[in-house]
Amino acid sequence: MFVKAILIILLQVTGFFAQDLDSNGLSLADKVLAIERLLLTPGTIIFPVTPCNLTLNGPPPEISGAQTAAQWVRTVFHDFITANISAGTGGLDASVGFEADRDENLGLVFSTMARPRQSFINETIMGFNLFSTLEVSTADFIALGLAVSLLSCDPNKRMIKLRAGRIDATKAGPEGVPRAEDSVAKSNATFIKAGFTTKEMIQSIACGHTIGGIHRRNHPEIVLDDEVTGGGPDFDGADTFDSTPFVYENKNVEEYLSAKGKAGGPLVTSKNTTFRSDFRIFNSDLNKTIIAMSTPQTFLDTCFAVFEKMMDTVPRGMKLSEPITPRRWILRESHLDLSRSGVVQYSGNITTYSRGGPPVPNQAIYYYSTEGNGNTGYPLLSGPKVIQDNIVNHVISDPFGDIAYYSFSDSIHTPTVKSINIQDINKKDSYTENINLNIFVVPSQTYRDNTDPNRPKFVIRAALLTTLSSPTTKLNGIFYWAAAQQLSKAPKYTQIKFQLTSFKTSGLYTIFQGLVAQPGESAPGGGGLSVDVLLGTTQRSVKTNLGSFNIPFIGTCSKADMKLCGV
């Protein structure tokens, strides 16, 4: 199945209002908000794992034995397990992207019905790249992939304690992923090095082996021809871990303890006893740990705890956010613009959801704060609610209940506005986002040249309050793009700096313009394009996502001199 559409969101983040900015000018709050927006935008990150038995861009699992959700769960383990807690290195840092060809990361999957097939790690990362933006690192996507896999496969749709803020590794980490032929002592030493106890090792293996299975093509020494789903020489086929491989539940533990059904799966029952690693690990404490987690609730509680510990194992000094819920009310997108007559327009979409709360209201309530604790009028009402389609890949997907969007578009006539405040149904402030009216990109006067879609060119126009400008003022722009990198399919977000010079005046603003082009190929699967502009070290605009292809906020223009676009 092929992804038919990707929703490109015009993200706005908080510029110099934010604290503790990283090298790309992003705060931890910006990264949290970007993940919340993905979770609350149907058709993005949850699409490839809905329903739980889906194989992204491949044949159905009954033919291939493949399952995207199981691959995403497996990727977390393969990335995290080579951590060295004592040294403060490794963990969930996307170094696995540089390690896809190692024997310990063996696993070929269908990327299409035709060869060549991809490594499961490469396939996973390219799936994430479809939704990639500057704000979400590949390491955060790996954690997010686990979270949405559980949302899709767990009948209770429980949200794991997902955090943001991981920074991607720039090279491969050490080898050491446990193998099916390893002794218990060797596997245990690897887990202890990564900060896990023997008990947590047993729990981790059980928790990771309740969806998915072992593929015949990858491990013919474990899975024989008569033990697979799917058949024929051109198909992978797999022996599943339990009899319900598309439901995240305790069935694998039940069947292991009762010796019924799949009896624990191929790593317990393989005819080649050398590869019965799950049996050796489960039985290493005479099944005490497995028995203790055998009921449905204790299984889920145990598994969520060990998965959260895996996700939170990161290199020393890396700061992660608080757990992401997501919040009841957020801005799905927002953007400043400037009309031809010089009036500031602020538009966007407010988002809420119903799960665990009241039904979504017919309209959203909001107001604008100004300097000195004032406001521009209270309350303001959005447009009517639009309930988002919850049918994903022909099944209902509603982990957050009803998701509603509310559009708004306002003219702002005073530069003293400092934030938008969204209220809940009890008219209490629920969400605040800062607005920087001093400097911002003007989308309606920004243009893209798609003559070479792999290396698009842009004329970027930005507005600066004329009171902050002088005849010699120039602005500095930073263009961010998802560059392809050697040895990993993950994008390496790269900066291109350029200059903007005075173009014209409009209302209270001076418009500046500058040219910038993407200099190379994007990472496979795509990736976001963003821009922001700065006035020295005192003013920085919010970031504007220019998208991977045309979006309605910016125009297209193929003039040889792009500075003539829109003139």
Side-chain angles (χ1 to χ4, degrees), residues 267-320:
L267 297 180
V268 171
T269 63
S270 175
K271 295 175 183 177
N272 190 335
T273 58
T274 300
F275 299 99
R276 291 183 179 179
S277 56
D278 283 11
F279 174 77
R280 292 191 294 271
I281 289 172
F282 294 166
N283 195 49
S284 63
D285 68 350
L286 302 179
N287 294 322
K288 291 180 181 178
T289 298
I290 292 296
I291 292 170
M293 62 184 292
S294 60
T295 66
Q297 191 61 52
T298 56
F299 180 84
L300 290 177
D301 290 345
T302 298
C303 291
F304 274 66
V306 294
F307 280 148
E308 287 161 9
K309 186 171 180 178
M310 287 183 194
M311 293 192 301
D312 294 348
T313 300
V314 295
R316 185 176 295 148
M318 194 177 293
K319 181 181 179 181
L320 300 182

Side-chain angles (χ1 to χ4, degrees), residues 1-17:
M1 180 175 293
F2 294 91
V3 175
K4 297 183 182 295
I6 304 168
L7 183 58
I8 299 298
I9 300 171
L10 186 72
L11 296 176
Q12 297 278 346
V13 294
T14 52
F16 274 0
F17 290 110

Side-chain angles (χ1 to χ4, degrees), residues 199-440:
K199 181 178 179 179
E200 289 170 327
M201 172 186 69
I202 298 169
Q203 293 168 339
S204 298
I205 298 302
C207 293
H209 289 171
T210 185
I211 58 174
I214 304 293
H215 290 248
R216 173 181 56 188
R217 179 179 297 276
N218 298 326
H219 294 285
E221 73 281 8
I222 300 174
V223 179
L224 304 182
D225 288 353
D226 61 348
E227 298 172 328
V228 300
T229 59
D234 292 329
F235 299 124
D236 288 336
D239 190 8
T240 60
F241 291 116
D242 65 29
S243 57
T244 58
F246 309 132
V247 181
Y248 195 85
E249 59 180 0
N250 66 326
K251 183 65 70 175
N252 62 327
V253 170
E254 283 186 352
E255 293 182 345
Y256 166 73
L257 292 173
S258 67
K260 295 180 180 179
K262 301 296 291 186
L267 297 180
V268 171
T269 63
S270 175
K271 295 175 183 177
N272 190 335
T273 58
T274 300
F275 299 99
R276 291 183 179 179
S277 56
D278 283 11
F279 174 77
R280 292 191 294 271
I281 289 172
F282 294 166
N283 195 49
S284 63
D285 68 350
L286 302 179
N287 294 322
K288 291 180 181 178
T289 298
I290 292 296
I291 292 170
M293 62 184 292
S294 60
T295 66
Q297 191 61 52
T298 56
F299 180 84
L300 290 177
D301 290 345
T302 298
C303 291
F304 274 66
V306 294
F307 280 148
E308 287 161 9
K309 186 171 180 178
M310 287 183 194
M311 293 192 301
D312 294 348
T313 300
V314 295
R316 185 176 295 148
M318 194 177 293
K319 181 181 179 181
L320 300 182
S321 71
E322 293 299 312
I324 299 170
T325 304
R327 287 167 285 184
R328 180 67 56 185
W329 292 89
I330 63 169
L331 281 177
R332 184 181 71 90
E333 58 90 7
S334 64
H335 57 280
L336 290 164
D337 209 339
L338 201 62
S339 72
R340 290 294 177 179
S341 61
V343 176
V344 174
Q345 300 292 136
Y346 186 59
S347 307
N349 282 283
I350 298 167
T351 298
T352 191
Y353 60 95
S354 64
R355 185 182 180 188
V360 297
N362 291 325
Q363 289 178 292
I365 304 170
Y366 67 101
Y367 67 95
Y368 294 102
S369 293
T370 58
E371 301 292 343
N373 298 318
N375 64 73
T376 61
Y378 171 85
L380 300 174
L381 296 176
S382 71
K385 69 180 178 185
V386 177
I387 302 295
Q388 297 307 292
D389 187 356
N390 65 359
I391 302 299
V392 177
N393 294 320
H394 311 294
V395 300
I396 294 175
S397 174
D398 59 351
F400 299 103
D402 288 334
I403 298 175
Y405 295 166
Y406 307 84
S407 63
F408 68 93
S409 183
D410 300 305
S411 298
I412 297 179
H413 297 281
T414 171
T416 62
V417 167
K418 65 178 183 179
S419 66
I420 183 173
N421 306 277
I422 302 169
Q423 297 195 316
D424 61 21
I425 60 172
N426 297 314
K427 296 186 178 180
K428 293 182 179 180
D429 287 1
S430 181
Y431 176 87
T432 297
E433 187 163 308
N434 293 319
I435 300 173
N436 185 359
L437 292 178
N438 293 334
I439 184 172
F440 55 90

Side-chain angles (χ1 to χ4, degrees), residues 77-79 81-82 99 104-105 174-179 182 190:
F77 175 73
H78 280 245
D79 195 22
I81 192 58
T82 55
E99 303 157 10
E104 65 188 21
N105 293 324
E175 296 184 0
V177 177
R179 303 184 187 219
D182 288 350
T190 299

